[in-house]
Every structure is written in C-alpha cells, then in structure tokens.
Amino acid sequence: MTHPVVFLGAGPGDPELLTLKGRRLLDEADVIVYAGSLVNPALLTGVQAEIHDSAGMTLDEVLAVLVAAQRAGKKAVRLHTGDPSLYGAIREQMQRLDREGIGYEVVPGVSSAFAAAAALKAELTVPEGTQTVIFTRISGRTPVPERESLRRLAAIRASMCIFLSAGMMEQVAAELMAGGCPPETPAAVVEKASWPEQRIVRGTLADIAEKVQAAGIRKTAMIVVGQALSDEPAAVSRLYDAGFSHGRREADALSPHQQSFQETS
Ligand code: SAH
C-alpha cells in the first residue's frame, strides 16, 4: 500500500498552532523533511520518523527523499512553515511528483500573517474601512512583477501583510509612501510571531524603518500596514446589528440606511 506525500503547514511556530490533523500526520510519519530555518523543532519532539532538514538540501535531494520514501510504502511529510500555499515553493515540488506519478495532498496551516495579526490584536478587515487584505513581498532576489510592486499596491489602501521583507524595511516604507500611502499610516512588525521570543514594533510608515533597525529586526518578521491598525473607534459590523437580517436571523425592523444596504447587496 502506498501513501500520498503530505505537504503540511507547520503553523507560525507555537507547537499548539499546528492543526490536529498535522499533529497526527507528524506522529504517524516515517520520513519528515522540514524547513529547518523556520519550522520550530519543538514540533518534532517525540516523533518516530527519520528527519531531514531541507536547509542544507537541494530541490533534487528533497525530492529524492520524498520519492524513495513513498515508493517504499512509507508515510512521507514535507513540513513547511505557516501555510504551504504562501511562499512555500510547493508548486515546483508538486510538479516534480506529478512527473514521477506520485500522489500527494496538501494540509493547511496557520500562516504567520494570521499569527502576526493575532499578536497585534488586529482585525485586518474593518467594517466601513478596508474589506481587502493583500499578501505580498518586496522585490528582492525573487523578482515581483511591476504591476504588483508595493508602489502600485499602495494605491489600493488595503491592509497589507508583507512577507520576506523586514530586512528591507526602509525601501518598503519608502515605496508605500511613494505610492500614495500617507506617512501617518499605521505600520507594525512582528518578529517570530507566536514564539516565546516574539517581539512587536509599532509605528507609522514615517518612523517604522528606524524603529525596526533600532530593534535589530531583519528576518522571520511580518510587516503589517494599514489603517486597520489604528485605534480609531470601529464602525459596528452589520453582522451583529439588530436590524440587519442574514440567513440565521430576520431583521426586527429596518432603518432606511439598512434598507438601502439590503437593496444594493
Ligand atoms: N508559508 C509561510 C511563509 C513562508 S515565507 C507562512 O504562511 O507564514 C517566510 C516569511 O514568512 C518570513 O520572511 C517572514 O516574513 C514570515 N514568517 C514566517 N514565520 C514567521 C513568524 N513566526 N513570525 C513572523 N513572520 C514569520
């Protein structure tokens, strides 16, 4: 009997932020290949599997381990930080497995974007404010298409979770301001979100780079930018509004404002 290779989201660091399914898959695995630089090794305490750290391995080497394990009828897990669908480089691995005719599945995890939002106690979508979140990064060794440059995305004024970019905080802030985000736009950086050593730096686009540099933060950090981080009083979500009916609750009586909302939605 063969088992599909599993691409598993390890979550942001705290071992309790691994899914129950993830915990079971790690405990049942025969072979685990994990990204040693980011995945918390505490997740692997007590597992029976043979463990490989992909930090010192090429793509070919990683695939050779996964393919050999799967062909030998073993349970193989490729453990990625956060959620595998974001900057996980799983696509190239899955395409290689396709070519080898090897089955696989993907099990989601808690992205560091959400661990960072939790650390900041932020709601990234704000009623009557922004209803959009952008996951992005600054162009570095991996280029970003010009149409998605931070300067262009800035014009949208959505909440932004910026990965892989804390080492270039000055350019990030400069690009966002050049694209039209006011300098007073709230910005925060969360280093090692959900780890015991988590640190938070809060500021605005005008001063965040300086503060992040003073704190010595360069990597394993999430940049969160947007008006959603401000402490302005929030508009009240219509979800809990007594006059707003949705599937489970009929409106008592509709105010004119809500009537027009219902007509347009
Ligand atoms: N798939 C991962 C992202 C991998 S890219 C996820 O969903 O979280 C690596 C980048 O993720 C880092 O440069 C950093 O920006 C971010 N990151 C990963 N773990 C983090 C953590 N615990 N705290 C803050 N940022 C983290």
Side-chain angles (χ1 to χ4, degrees):
M1 182 179 160
T2 57
H3 306 278
V5 171
V6 177
F7 293 92
L8 173 61
D14 179 349
E16 290 192 321
L17 291 177
L18 173 67
T19 61
L20 293 174
K21 185 165 188 169
R23 185 66 264 158
R24 177 177 61 74
L25 290 165
L26 287 181
D27 290 337
E28 289 175 2
D30 299 303
V31 175
I32 297 170
V33 184
Y34 80 114
S37 55
L38 281 168
V39 170
N40 189 346
L43 291 171
L44 302 176
T45 339
V47 301
Q48 304 300 309
E50 171 192 311
I51 295 171
H52 300 258
D53 179 352
S54 63
M57 295 164 76
T58 63
L59 176 62
D60 284 337
E61 287 166 345
V62 167
L63 280 151
V65 170
L66 298 176
V67 168
Q70 199 271 354
R71 291 209 168 125
K74 294 180 179 168
K75 293 181 176 171
V77 173
R78 177 74 172 103
L79 188 58
H80 282 274
T81 177
D83 183 84
S85 71
L86 296 171
Y87 308 104
I90 58 169
R91 195 175 137 107
E92 61 206 46
Q93 300 177 64
M94 295 188 297
Q95 286 174 343
R96 292 278 282 269
L97 293 180
D98 283 337
R99 262 183 268 148
E100 303 275 351
I102 287 176
Y104 51 82
E105 59 187 55
V106 182
V107 176
V110 176
S111 174
S112 58
F114 300 123
L120 295 168
K121 302 188 173 79
E123 178 171 4
L124 297 175
T125 58
V126 181
E128 319 256 320
T130 183
Q131 293 290 294
T132 303
V133 184
I134 296 175
F135 298 134
T136 190
R137 64 175 299 171
I138 197 167
S139 189
R141 266 191 312 174
T142 307
V144 172
E146 165 53 29
R147 63 178 183 277
E148 300 172 10
S149 66
L150 287 180
R151 197 180 282 236
R152 289 238 196 155
L153 296 179
I156 300 170
R157 302 280 190 90
S159 296
M160 298 176 91
C161 298
I162 308 175
F163 291 72
L164 296 156
S165 305
M168 296 173 75
M169 193 62 236
E170 220 176 299
Q171 291 94 315
V172 169
E175 283 296 298
L176 292 175
M177 288 188 284
C181 280
E184 58 276 13
T185 306
V189 172
V190 184
E191 181 188 38
K192 299 205 96 173
S194 88
W195 292 65
E197 59 269 40
Q198 167 185 296
R199 287 197 291 168
I200 296 178
V201 175
R202 286 181 189 263
T204 62
L205 284 181
D207 63 14
I208 190 77
E210 205 179 307
K211 289 180 170 177
V212 164
Q213 203 171 17
I217 296 175
R218 294 198 55 79
K219 53 179 203 173
T220 325
M222 180 63 54
I223 305 168
V224 184
V225 178
Q227 210 50 42
L229 296 181
S230 82
D231 44 22
E232 289 159 8
V236 178
S237 164
R238 292 192 169 113
L239 187 58
Y240 300 111
D241 188 322
F244 178 52
S245 62
H246 55 88
R248 317 191 86 218
R249 195 155 50 68
E250 286 305 312
D252 304 332
L254 294 182
S255 70
H257 171 69
Q258 286 149 350
Q259 278 168 5
S260 70
F261 178 73
Q262 285 210 324
E263 280 154 19
T264 53
S265 60

